[in-house]
Amino acid sequence: MEEILSLPIRGMDGTPLTNTFFRQKEEASELAVFFPGRGYTCAMPVLYYPTRLMVQRGADALTIEYNATREAGFDQLDMEERLRRLGNDARNAIEVALAHRKYQRVVLFGKSLGTLVLAWLLVHEPELLHAACVWLTPLVRVPFLCEAVRRAKPQSLFIAGDADPLFDSDAMQDLMKQGDFHLLVLTGANHSLEIEGDLEATLKGMSLMLRTLDEFLQKG
C-alpha cells in the first residue's frame, strides 16, 4: 500500500504547485513523474491508469498541475517563454521528488502539452537524459519536440491514436527512425485515446496501452 501526500513544491512564480505524491510504504527504487496536458489532468484516464500501474509496480509516483497555465496572459506568450515557465515548474517538481529518496530509475510521462515539457527537460536538464520517457499523444508536429528527441535519444515509448487530429503519421514514422524507440498507435482513438461512440473498444485500447507500457518498462 502507498501513502498519499503533497510535497512542498513551488512553481516558477514562487507559489505552491498542486501535486499528489504516491509514496510506497516500503523502499522504492523507481520514481515516476507525470506532466498533464492543457485541460487534461492526471486524474483523467490516460494519466490515471499509468499512475496506478507505476504504483502497482512498486514505484513512487508524482502527479502535478502547472501554475504557469493559470497566469494571466500565458496564452499570449511565445512558445519558448511558455515552455520555459512550464519547464521550470516541472524541474522544481522533479528536484523535490528526487530529494525524497535515492532512486535507481526515473520514468517521465507527458500527455499532449506535457510531451513538450518532457522535450524541454531533455534539453535543459542533462541529468535526466537517462530517464525513460513515455510520450502520450505526443505533439510531433512541433519541431522542438522532434529535435529534442533526436538529440537526446532517451529510452522512449510513444502512444497515440490515429484519429487524433494532432497526430502526424509521417512525422511520427520519421522520428521512429532516429533511435531505438517504441510506438503504439491505437486504431480509431482520438486525442484522449478514446474511440468515440465505442466504450468497449476504448477500454480495450486502454488495456493494450497499459500492457504495452508494462512490457516497455520491463525491458528497461
Side-chain angles (χ1 to χ4, degrees), residues 48-176:
Y48 173 80
Y49 289 112
T51 302
R52 298 314 306 162
L53 175 64
M54 295 306 299
V55 172
Q56 181 176 289
R57 284 172 50 85
D60 289 344
L62 175 65
T63 67
I64 74 163
E65 296 179 20
Y66 309 113
N67 282 356
T69 54
R70 293 193 288 267
E71 295 175 4
F74 176 80
D75 291 327
Q76 281 67 56
L77 299 172
D78 62 33
M79 175 68 79
E80 183 177 352
E81 179 59 19
R82 277 183 281 170
L83 286 180
R84 186 181 74 86
R85 297 187 183 210
L86 292 169
N88 276 283
D89 280 359
R91 175 166 55 194
N92 292 348
I94 291 173
E95 287 179 352
V96 172
L98 285 175
H100 200 72
R101 302 196 210 226
K102 291 184 178 179
Y103 297 102
Q104 297 176 14
R105 188 188 197 196
V106 176
V107 185
L108 304 177
F109 291 77
K111 163 74 172 82
S112 191
L113 179 63
T115 62
L116 299 184
V117 174
L118 292 196
W120 188 94
L121 290 168
L122 292 177
V123 171
H124 295 279
E125 299 296 317
E127 67 274 17
L128 293 176
L129 292 178
H130 297 295
C133 295
V134 181
W135 312 78
L136 301 164
T137 63
L139 301 182
V140 292
R141 291 181 180 176
V142 179
F144 172 74
L145 184 152
C146 294
E147 184 59 27
V149 173
R150 287 190 186 100
R151 290 185 178 183
K153 291 182 169 56
Q155 180 191 8
S156 288
L157 170 63
F158 296 87
I159 300 176
D162 66 3
D164 179 355
L166 299 180
F167 180 64
D168 186 321
S169 179
D170 291 339
M172 188 77 258
Q173 291 302 324
D174 182 62
L175 187 58
M176 294 301 294

